[in-house]
Amino acid sequence: MAENFQLQGRHGKSRVRVSRVWRRPAAAGGDVIVEWNVAVSIVSDCLPSYTSSDNSAIVATDSIKNTVYVKAKECTEVVSMEEFAVILGRHFTSLYPQVSEATVTIVERPWERVTVDGKPHSHGFKVGVEKHSTEVIVKKSGSLRINSGIQGYSLLKTTQSGFEGFVTDRYRLLPDTRERIVATEVTAWWRYPFEHVSQLPSKPFCFTQRYQDVKKVLAETFFGPPDVGVYSPSVQNTLYLMAKEVLTRFPDISSVQLRMPNLHFLPVNLGSKEAPLVKFADDVYLPTDEPHGTIEATLISRPMSKL
Ligand SMILES: O=c1[nH]c(=O)c2[nH]c(=O)[nH]c2[nH]1
């Protein structure tokens, strides 16, 4: 009997933690290690398993988890997490007729090579702070979407920031200022323009290098030159300039989304006007992230007009 429902399902495994080491002599730069938290979610035609006891089309989530380790083992050369996600996505969509789409999400634990006596260590690492992530969607047709990002990228400057000229009405208490601390924890996502597996560059495209490049451009634009900096009239304007610089510098990035909470450093004034205990002179602040401003925007490259 046909039922009056439309059913869509997907399944997979989350928080699959895998670490891969590639052994290299010290002269070749030393060992490489990655630690990834992988989530795989497949769109699979196994509707009878939802509506009856027929599990015959299910690729078990346990098998999905096992596949992550098999593929990590098979990657005998260093791969970026974007490439690894594509390998997994292609595997599930090509091996199983019932799987039409796979989404692979990876978050990296940022192990960074340590420097000892000024030299990069051949096999010593420490954990960094900000995290690199990717989300790759692969369809059976080979169509592809790759988004990568950075999370937890905390940036602050002690001056060269202000905020003035905003709406004045009965709700406004904040004075205009041309001198404040600006602090944020950047979350960025950007999209690579490869829309089909056939468009992936044949020489290993260094997604990892691009991540480092984006991180550098974001910080350089936020801070400005080391000696004088650059004045920020608002988080909004700085966010826009950061996004614009990423798209301008990297033609292989087609859009970028930035989220930059405004983590306030409040001036500390204690006591009364007549008998001040602490009088603020751009020196003592109360840092707080609760509440905080939320500022975000997406910038998309316009395709070049065909002349
Ligand atoms: O750069 C800022 N943008 C705002 O939208 C805003 N709102 C606010 O109270 N302070 C700030 N600062």
Side-chain angles (χ1 to χ4, degrees), residues 143-273:
S143 91
L144 189 66
R145 199 176 81 191
I146 306 180
N147 284 310
S148 290
I150 184 168
Q151 288 85 42
Y153 195 21
S154 294
L155 307 176
L156 172 153
K157 52 183 196 166
T158 53
T159 185
Q160 286 286 49
S161 163
F163 187 58
E164 54 191 338
F166 49 95
V167 173
T168 298
D169 58 13
R170 65 188 292 256
Y171 299 103
R172 173 173 169 169
L173 295 175
L174 206 61
D176 279 352
T177 182
R178 290 187 63 81
E179 179 60 68
R180 64 174 183 174
I181 286 181
V182 64
T184 188
E185 188 184 309
V186 179
T187 300
W189 281 100
W190 55 92
R191 179 158 179 187
Y192 291 102
F194 316 115
E195 291 188 344
H196 193 271
V197 288
S198 61
Q199 293 172 351
L200 285 171
S202 51
K203 77 169 165 33
F205 177 77
C206 213
F207 290 99
T208 311
Q209 183 60 46
R210 188 53 84 239
Y211 166 74
Q212 297 295 349
D213 296 340
V214 169
K215 196 165 126 172
K216 187 158 172 277
V217 164
L218 289 174
E220 284 172 359
T221 313
F222 179 86
F223 294 122
D227 40 358
V228 291
V230 61
Y231 182 72
S232 163
S234 65
V235 173
Q236 282 86 339
N237 180 248
T238 297
L239 179 154
Y240 170 72
L241 295 175
M242 289 162 74
K244 188 168 81 138
E245 198 59 21
V246 168
L247 293 187
T248 308
R249 292 275 286 275
F250 308 119
D252 54 14
I253 293 179
S254 54
S255 67
V256 58
Q257 182 194 61
L258 286 179
R259 195 160 72 223
M260 291 176 43
N262 190 4
L263 305 174
H264 306 297
F265 279 64
L266 308 176
V268 172
N269 281 299
L270 296 177
S272 62
K273 229 181 187 148

Side-chain angles (χ1 to χ4, degrees), residues 97-114:
Q98 67 272 40
V99 176
S100 55
E101 185 181 309
T103 301
V104 181
T105 310
I106 304 180
V107 182
E108 182 161 67
R109 185 141 198 257
W111 290 109
E112 294 167 357
R113 191 178 300 283
V114 290

Side-chain angles (χ1 to χ4, degrees), residues 2-15:
E3 289 177 293
N4 266 340
F5 304 110
Q6 205 192 2
L7 175 63
Q8 291 172 341
R10 55 192 307 150
H11 69 275
K13 204 73 145 187
S14 288
R15 298 202 177 230

